[in-house]
């Protein structure tokens, strides 16, 4: 599951975020404990805890004392909002800048998107 592209704790946080966005984890649902996560993926519990801490700081997870960690009620909407912003910054804005550089009009881009969308339907 883990690769060398980023720290394991970051990959843990990203996996949980993906599970929330895709609906595998629901709002107010309990997630595995750090010890369970560490045992399941055969990693150091401190590494798992660091990933969970990151999600807690971001407001994606919250802790119920003595019970465990849960998905925040606003987690999915917050993550979707972040991903939309990142999509426009990393994909659309870069595409538009490149299109301007090489002289592709926006109308041609829109036509190509509509053509691709039409072939999916």
């Amino acid at each position: 599951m883990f690769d060398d592209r980023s720290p394991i704790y970051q990959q843990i946080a990203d996996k949980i975020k993906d599970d929330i966005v895709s609906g595998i984890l629901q709002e107010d649902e309990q997630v595995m404990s750090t010890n369970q996560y560490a045992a399941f993926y055969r990693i150091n519990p401190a590494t798992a805890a660091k990933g969970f801490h990151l999600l807690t700081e971001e407001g994606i997870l919250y802790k119920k004392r003595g019970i465990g960690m849960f998905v925040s009620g606003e987690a999915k909407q917050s993550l979707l909002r972040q991903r939309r912003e990142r999509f426009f910054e990393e994909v659309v804005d870069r595409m538009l800048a490149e299109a301007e550089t090489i002289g592709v009009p926006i109308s041609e881009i829109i036509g190509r998107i509509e053509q691709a969308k039409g072939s999916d339907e």
Side-chain angles (χ1 to χ4, degrees):
M1 168 179 170
F2 302 112
D3 58 45
D4 293 335
R5 289 180 285 173
S6 62
I8 291 174
Y9 73 88
Q10 183 64 56
Q11 293 178 60
I12 291 167
D14 291 344
K15 169 75 169 107
I16 293 171
K17 287 177 180 181
D18 288 345
D19 288 350
I20 293 168
V21 168
S22 69
I24 293 170
L25 288 173
Q26 301 293 315
E27 295 172 347
D28 296 314
E29 182 176 342
Q30 187 171 10
V31 297
M32 283 192 283
S33 72
T34 55
N35 288 334
Q36 289 171 322
Y37 209 90
F40 185 81
Y41 289 107
R42 297 178 185 225
I43 59 172
N44 187 315
T47 301
K50 191 170 182 179
F52 279 55
H53 179 73
L54 185 66
L55 293 170
T56 303
E57 284 184 339
E58 292 179 20
I60 303 301
L61 297 180
Y62 66 95
K63 184 175 186 171
K64 286 187 181 179
R65 191 172 182 191
I67 299 175
M69 301 294 286
F70 292 80
V71 177
S72 133
E74 298 294 319
K76 186 170 184 173
Q77 288 306 313
S78 175
L79 291 169
L80 289 172
R81 190 171 34 256
Q82 290 171 15
R83 287 189 181 191
R84 282 187 200 108
E85 289 172 15
R86 189 171 65 227
F87 170 76
F88 281 103
E89 290 171 4
E90 294 177 1
V91 177
V92 176
D93 293 349
R94 288 183 186 178
M95 177 190 63
L96 292 173
E98 178 67 12
E100 184 176 340
T101 299
I102 62 174
V104 177
I106 292 176
S107 60
E108 189 174 332
I109 295 169
I110 293 169
R112 188 64 161 268
I113 291 169
E114 288 173 341
Q115 179 184 10
K117 185 66 178 162
S119 67
D120 287 347
E121 295 173 355

